[in-house]
Amino acid sequence: MKNIRDAIIIVLLASVLGIAINLVRNAISGGGLAWNTAWTDNRKISAAIDIPPSYQPGDSLLSLNDAYNLYTKNEAIFIDAREPVDYDDGHIKGAINFPFEHWDDYWAKIKPTLNPDKEIIAYCGGLDCELSLFMARQLKELGYPKSYIFFGGWPKWKEADMPSETSQPEKNVTDISGTVVPIVLAAYILIMIVMAIVRKGSLSDSKLIFISRLILGGLFIYASYDKIFNPLSFAGIIHNYRLVGPNLINIPAIILPWIEFIAGALLIVGYKPRSADLVIGGMLIMYIFMLAITAHRGINISCGCFSTAAGVKSNLILRIIEDVGMLLVSLHIFIFYKARWRSKGFE
């Protein structure tokens, strides 16, 4: 119970520190967040319908909002009418590539995937591309009456940060989370497993526990750095998860980085390490839960794990595995740590 009490105190003190520093930032330079107001979402899903130049009565048009609603309900087949090279660069997640200008080459392969009783949404390269219009008309003539045109197409979908994917490696900014962290964690956990097998009781070795504290605490301090200095960008990442309303976005963007920093620092210096580790373990469980929900919903975003930079996309499944690895290190510390300085308050 004492560890839980101290963990709560750590969270509260770090939260107060984060709010205080944010207030100072606002007073000095306006660089903080308005913690008591709603996050402003400038990327609302548009309900406006774009009209193609060649529109004819009978063409069934959808707005971005219409298309996304059908997407989230899994009630439609999305067809990308662009060339394969454009499709490979990025497309609506789960969409079928059916280049309209190569109809004869693709139709035999595409036809078995279509269902006349299901909505079919054709899209292409946006307002300068009418291939989706021609695609939907052709499909209607062939007996697919629920063929629709999302004329805003890939540009509008991408701009709104809707679920998407590519058919080739991302050409985005990368961060430490994508390379170094998984390698270090995998190697370290493997070493611990080997040591546990070879020498009984090795997991309680003080040197090994210190290394665990150093790795986990260092990772959390590093993770907090970019978020502390870029709170607005971090708030945008929290928004992209679409797990909380706009009124609940700024507060975690202000306090979470400081909880990460304080808990990581306490874990390294060895003051209340089990309580600090409890905070870190709780945060990791929360992060795993958030990432799992987001991955299940097919939202392709930056996880905000170690960077708030624009353009950083994350393999969310790999990030979940990464967090599970850190959680194992956290459990190692919590279970096997034995304080040597109880009389001095280090426990």
Side-chain angles (χ1 to χ4, degrees), residues 276-336:
D277 182 62
L278 196 61
V279 173
I280 289 175
M283 295 182 78
L284 285 169
I285 292 172
M286 178 182 70
Y287 294 158
I288 291 169
F289 179 73
M290 291 171 59
L291 289 168
I293 291 177
T294 305
H296 177 71
R297 293 164 65 194
I299 302 176
N300 183 24
I301 61 170
S302 164
C303 73
C305 304
F306 292 88
S307 174
T308 62
V312 176
K313 297 295 183 182
S314 301
N315 182 326
L316 298 185
I317 301 301
L318 184 59
R319 298 289 76 78
I320 291 171
I321 296 172
E322 179 182 277
D323 283 354
V324 169
M326 285 192 278
L327 186 59
L328 291 175
V329 177
S330 174
L331 286 171
H332 172 236
I333 297 168
F334 190 81
I335 293 171
F336 293 99

Side-chain angles (χ1 to χ4, degrees), residues 32-346:
L33 293 176
W35 63 272
N36 59 342
T37 60
W39 165 260
T40 302
D41 180 6
N42 294 320
R43 294 168 289 183
K44 294 186 182 297
I45 302 176
S46 174
I49 294 178
D50 298 299
I51 308 297
S54 302
Y55 172 79
Q56 296 176 359
D59 290 333
S60 303
L61 304 177
L62 297 179
S63 67
L64 174 61
N65 186 60
D66 297 329
Y68 182 63
N69 284 338
L70 288 170
Y71 180 90
T72 56
K73 295 175 183 177
N74 197 28
E75 293 180 353
I77 299 168
F78 282 77
I79 291 180
D80 190 318
R82 299 175 299 162
E83 292 295 311
V85 64
D86 298 319
Y87 173 85
D88 289 344
D89 281 340
H91 54 267
I92 294 174
K93 188 175 179 67
I96 301 169
N97 187 210
F98 184 6
F100 180 77
E101 294 182 337
H102 304 281
W103 180 286
D104 293 338
D105 297 330
Y106 280 79
W107 176 240
K109 180 176 68 174
I110 297 296
K111 185 178 180 180
T113 67
L114 304 181
N115 184 343
D117 298 322
K118 197 168 185 178
E119 284 85 355
I120 299 172
I121 301 175
Y123 74 92
C124 57
L127 305 183
D128 296 325
C129 176
E130 292 193 310
L131 296 178
S132 57
L133 181 70
F134 307 142
M135 174 73 72
R137 288 176 183 171
Q138 184 75 6
L139 288 171
K140 280 188 176 182
E141 291 179 5
L142 292 172
Y144 298 89
K146 298 182 179 180
S147 296
Y148 295 89
I149 304 132
F150 169 39
F151 190 57
W154 170 242
K156 283 213 167 182
W157 188 272
K158 182 181 179 182
E159 181 183 5
D161 202 21
M162 297 291 104
S164 60
E165 60 187 355
T166 66
S167 300
Q168 59 187 24
E170 291 274 2
K171 298 179 181 179
N172 291 315
V173 181
T174 57
D175 61 29
I176 187 174
S177 176
T179 53
V180 178
V181 174
I183 295 173
V184 171
L185 284 173
Y188 183 61
I189 291 172
L190 181 61
I191 290 171
M192 286 199 294
I193 292 172
V194 171
M195 289 181 65
I197 294 173
V198 172
R199 184 162 63 92
K200 186 178 180 180
S202 59
L203 291 180
S204 60
D205 183 272
S206 60
K207 294 184 179 65
L208 188 64
I209 294 172
F210 176 74
I211 294 173
S212 291
R213 287 167 43 204
L214 196 63
I215 290 174
L216 190 59
L219 286 174
F220 263 69
I221 290 174
Y222 183 86
S224 70
Y225 177 81
D226 196 28
K227 303 169 195 173
I228 287 173
F229 287 97
N230 298 285
L232 183 60
S233 297
F234 184 45
I237 288 174
I238 295 174
H239 163 266
N240 290 341
Y241 277 90
R242 303 191 185 100
L243 293 174
V244 296
N247 291 310
L248 299 176
I249 287 177
N250 284 355
I251 292 178
I254 293 169
I255 66 175
L256 278 178
W258 287 101
I259 296 174
E260 290 179 341
F261 178 81
I262 297 298
L266 291 176
L267 189 61
I268 289 176
V269 301
Y271 185 76
K272 306 290 184 183
R274 295 186 81 228
S275 299
D277 182 62
L278 196 61
V279 173
I280 289 175
M283 295 182 78
L284 285 169
I285 292 172
M286 178 182 70
Y287 294 158
I288 291 169
F289 179 73
M290 291 171 59
L291 289 168
I293 291 177
T294 305
H296 177 71
R297 293 164 65 194
I299 302 176
N300 183 24
I301 61 170
S302 164
C303 73
C305 304
F306 292 88
S307 174
T308 62
V312 176
K313 297 295 183 182
S314 301
N315 182 326
L316 298 185
I317 301 301
L318 184 59
R319 298 289 76 78
I320 291 171
I321 296 172
E322 179 182 277
D323 283 354
V324 169
M326 285 192 278
L327 186 59
L328 291 175
V329 177
S330 174
L331 286 171
H332 172 236
I333 297 168
F334 190 81
I335 293 171
F336 293 99
Y337 179 82
K338 294 179 180 178
R340 296 184 175 184
W341 304 317
R342 292 184 185 275
S343 61
K344 298 181 181 180
F346 289 77

